[in-house]
Amino acid sequence: MFSRTLLASLVGTTAIMAQAAPMDKSDALANTPYFNQTDSGFDLTFSPKHYRTLETQVNGKTVKFRAFEKIVYVQHPVEVDYQTLNIYVPEAYFENGSINGFNANTAPIFLPNSVGGYMPAKAATYDKKGFGSSDKPNAIVTALSKGYVVASVGARGRTLEKDGKYTGKAPAVIIDLKSAVRYLHANDAVMPGDANKIISNGTSAGGALSALLGASGDHADYEAYFASLGAAKASDSIFAVSAYCPITNLEHADMAYEWEFNGINDYRRMDMSRLNANSYNDRSQAPAMIEGTLNAEEIAISNELKAAFPAYLNSLNLKDAKGQALTLDKEGNGSFKEYVKQVMVRAADKYHKQGNDLSGIKWLTLGKGGVSDMDWNSYLHAEKRMKSPPAFDALNLSSGENNLFGTETINNRYFTAFSLAKSQEKGDKAKLMAEPEVIKLMNAMNYIETSPTQHWRVRAGTRDRDTSHAISAILAIKLSMAGKNVDYETPWGVPHSGDYDLEELFNWTDSISR
Ligand code: DHB
């Protein structure tokens, strides 16, 4: 919490205005110095002195704020350009003001991560394009307009390399996000905003990490990784999680994918080989796509993975809100499938009640009362699958997730026994398997029971085919069963994306913060 004395001492501080830096599209802050650099590493005490004062329009309203940018959040960064926070604070909080019922002491801290594709991610700036690269205000300025302090965070990712070593393989990205949270807790007394109200937000890989950050708060499993980075000695627990289409539970995601998409043999997927950090983080560039049809071998793998999913699902002992068991039979049918379908039916009904026309979709049961059912198979066959099996742990080690689980010296590894067993790679195959401890550290599912985070919002659009809808459903159900406050929906017609419903998002963050 921000002390009033400190606030008083700040009034009259001179703003350091932005230098006229040449605009590099991919890195708006390229020429901004790291103000917290010292001779012996980076100083982890928040400095209220180094900021620029900025103004922007958000939905017709002028929002004035201070930008404290490129704060390196560990003393000894490995990749200084990525291990940074951009902190944005409503100007009103330096003038004893309040916004939306919050003040400098009570304002929650909105923590959007920029991670996509498990790639390296620079902390997003306040002027990044909004959802779908539209002119809509982005999540950062929307949060500011609603009185949130924003801590936009970057992190290392799977493709980074320095001095002949990979520097961003798992678990680097979650260690970085936790280190940033530790910085916020350590500086709670001197920074505006309430570090006991940190609300994490992310999409896709970033959604998975948002969930992991909440699930694994203060868990001892991660402890060994902080000392060498010089992370602040403080809590890394957060208050709430917003996760859009989380690409999580990777070691079970191949099975889940085939449970959902088996029988759909045409695919349209992203060309990972042509992906770079900029095209991932700047979502205005559509990634290159590859189209094709599964061959007989791939179809056989799909069948095998699909058949393995019910045993995993049933081992979770899932129950719905009424305590009814959610299970699957050998064919993959049963109450769990019905549950996922009904979540989508409710999404269609909500969309319809918002005044949208669904009469063209013949596989929806649409009556006077709204949408009451849908034909699961027709829904699935309405579009191509996105990934070929195994969707994540590729047999030829070509997926982004294989790349995530590499080491300092091995670029790509397996993370499931299934794919390792089917590998045609030469040499000592055991070396190509990620350690179980590292795989565990990357999966929010492993930490739900001990999670300190009470509030969860999970979204995965009905048109999303980057991972199975089972993955986010399982996450949401497990969280509910652990007594968490969970808001889970599958917005109708929404593809793989995030931040598309900021009014709803911030209504939810308001509701849990007061
Ligand atoms: C993302 C998408 C994927 O399909 C995937 O496998 C991993 C990450 C993403 O958009 O972040």
Side-chain angles (χ1 to χ4, degrees), residues 3-173:
S3 83
R4 294 269 161 199
T5 12
L6 182 84
L7 196 149
S9 76
L10 284 180
V11 177
T13 302
T14 326
I16 295 164
M17 293 308 291
Q19 300 137 2
M23 279 297 286
D24 170 356
K25 208 169 154 260
S26 63
D27 186 359
L29 296 175
N31 295 329
T32 303
Y34 299 106
F35 285 113
N36 62 328
Q37 188 153 26
T38 73
D39 289 343
S40 57
F42 287 82
D43 177 2
L44 298 191
T45 305
F46 174 77
S47 162
K49 289 200 205 104
H50 298 290
Y51 65 90
R52 45 185 186 150
T53 303
L54 297 163
E55 227 176 65
T56 189
Q57 297 291 314
V58 183
N59 299 324
K61 205 164 86 180
T62 301
V63 178
K64 201 169 167 192
F65 59 98
R66 291 189 188 182
F68 306 84
E69 290 157 313
K70 273 175 85 167
I71 299 170
V72 180
Y73 54 67
V74 287
Q75 285 173 302
H76 310 297
V78 177
E79 295 282 358
V80 68
D81 291 341
Y82 297 89
Q83 295 171 296
T84 74
L85 281 163
N86 292 330
I87 296 175
Y88 299 107
V89 184
E91 185 63 28
Y93 293 163
F94 298 95
E95 294 154 9
N96 268 323
S98 68
I99 303 174
N100 189 25
F102 301 126
N103 61 38
N105 281 313
T106 63
I109 302 177
F110 182 65
L111 180 82
N113 75 64
S114 315
V115 178
Y118 289 103
M119 298 292 277
K122 291 194 174 163
T125 50
Y126 78 97
D127 56 353
K128 82 160 203 179
K129 283 276 187 195
F131 162 66
S133 60
S134 67
D135 291 329
K136 276 196 198 167
N138 67 28
I140 294 175
V141 295
T142 304
L144 285 171
S145 76
K146 293 173 188 293
Y148 290 76
V149 166
V150 177
S152 163
V153 60
R156 285 171 292 166
R158 59 186 170 83
T159 54
L160 288 174
E161 229 181 309
K162 191 183 218 166
D163 305 329
K165 287 194 170 156
Y166 300 112
T167 54
K169 303 298 187 185
V173 58

Side-chain angles (χ1 to χ4, degrees), residues 115-119 158 203-207 245 247 250 270 272 280 283 386-387 391-392 399-401 465-467 496:
V115 178
Y118 289 103
M119 298 292 277
R158 59 186 170 83
T203 297
S204 193
C245 47
I247 304 281
L250 295 173
M270 215 177 288
M272 288 303 214
Y280 229 103
R283 301 273 169 132
M386 185 191 163
K387 291 175 172 174
F392 296 91
S399 77
E401 287 75 14
R465 295 197 166 193
D466 279 54
T467 195
H496 190 66

Side-chain angles (χ1 to χ4, degrees), residues 111-350:
L111 180 82
N113 75 64
S114 315
V115 178
Y118 289 103
M119 298 292 277
K122 291 194 174 163
T125 50
Y126 78 97
D127 56 353
K128 82 160 203 179
K129 283 276 187 195
F131 162 66
S133 60
S134 67
D135 291 329
K136 276 196 198 167
N138 67 28
I140 294 175
V141 295
T142 304
L144 285 171
S145 76
K146 293 173 188 293
Y148 290 76
V149 166
V150 177
S152 163
V153 60
R156 285 171 292 166
R158 59 186 170 83
T159 54
L160 288 174
E161 229 181 309
K162 191 183 218 166
D163 305 329
K165 287 194 170 156
Y166 300 112
T167 54
K169 303 298 187 185
V173 58
I174 184 64
I175 300 304
D176 284 357
L177 297 180
K178 282 174 169 294
S179 298
V181 171
R182 288 177 176 218
Y183 177 95
L184 298 174
H185 277 287
N187 284 291
D188 198 19
V190 291
M191 234 190 82
D194 181 357
N196 292 318
K197 293 268 170 69
I198 297 174
I199 303 170
S200 163
N201 183 53
T203 297
S204 193
L209 287 157
S210 185
L212 183 57
L213 198 56
S216 70
D218 288 336
H219 201 285
D221 278 5
Y222 300 80
E223 202 51 54
Y225 292 90
F226 296 107
S228 64
L229 288 175
K233 291 194 175 60
S235 167
D236 54 55
S237 73
I238 60 171
F239 174 68
V241 167
S242 160
Y244 288 97
C245 47
I247 304 281
T248 188
N249 202 354
L250 295 173
E251 60 271 40
H252 302 107
D254 291 337
M255 294 186 261
Y257 202 87
E258 299 316 317
W259 167 74
E260 185 163 345
F261 300 114
N262 177 266
I264 300 167
N265 295 333
D266 291 335
Y267 63 81
R268 182 165 196 276
R269 67 177 159 83
M270 215 177 288
D271 182 355
M272 288 303 214
S273 67
R274 289 172 62 190
L275 199 66
N276 63 47
N278 289 343
S279 63
Y280 229 103
N281 292 326
D282 171 5
R283 301 273 169 132
S284 61
Q285 285 171 259
M289 304 301 282
I290 299 176
E291 304 214 18
T293 303
L294 303 188
N295 61 33
E297 208 177 316
E298 288 169 318
I299 291 170
I301 290 172
S302 170
N303 294 341
E304 232 185 291
L305 285 166
K306 177 189 174 181
F309 184 66
Y312 165 67
L313 188 280
N314 294 335
S315 78
L316 296 170
N317 294 313
L318 300 182
K319 292 196 168 64
D320 69 11
K322 292 188 186 126
Q324 302 289 319
L326 299 172
T327 59
L328 292 174
D329 65 18
K330 283 202 169 71
E331 274 70 52
N333 295 316
S335 50
F336 175 76
K337 183 165 160 180
E338 187 60 25
Y339 176 95
V340 177
K341 191 181 89 170
Q342 286 306 327
V343 174
M344 293 199 190
V345 168
R346 284 199 293 280
D349 188 53
K350 178 174 173 180

Side-chain angles (χ1 to χ4, degrees), residues 372-401:
S372 58
D373 203 2
M374 72 182 221
D375 182 76
W376 181 249
N377 234 27
S378 304
Y379 154 70
L380 290 178
H381 283 270
E383 285 188 71
K384 293 179 179 182
R385 66 161 59 220
M386 185 191 163
K387 291 175 172 174
S388 43
F392 296 91
D393 198 7
L395 301 185
N396 63 1
L397 291 171
S398 64
S399 77
E401 287 75 14

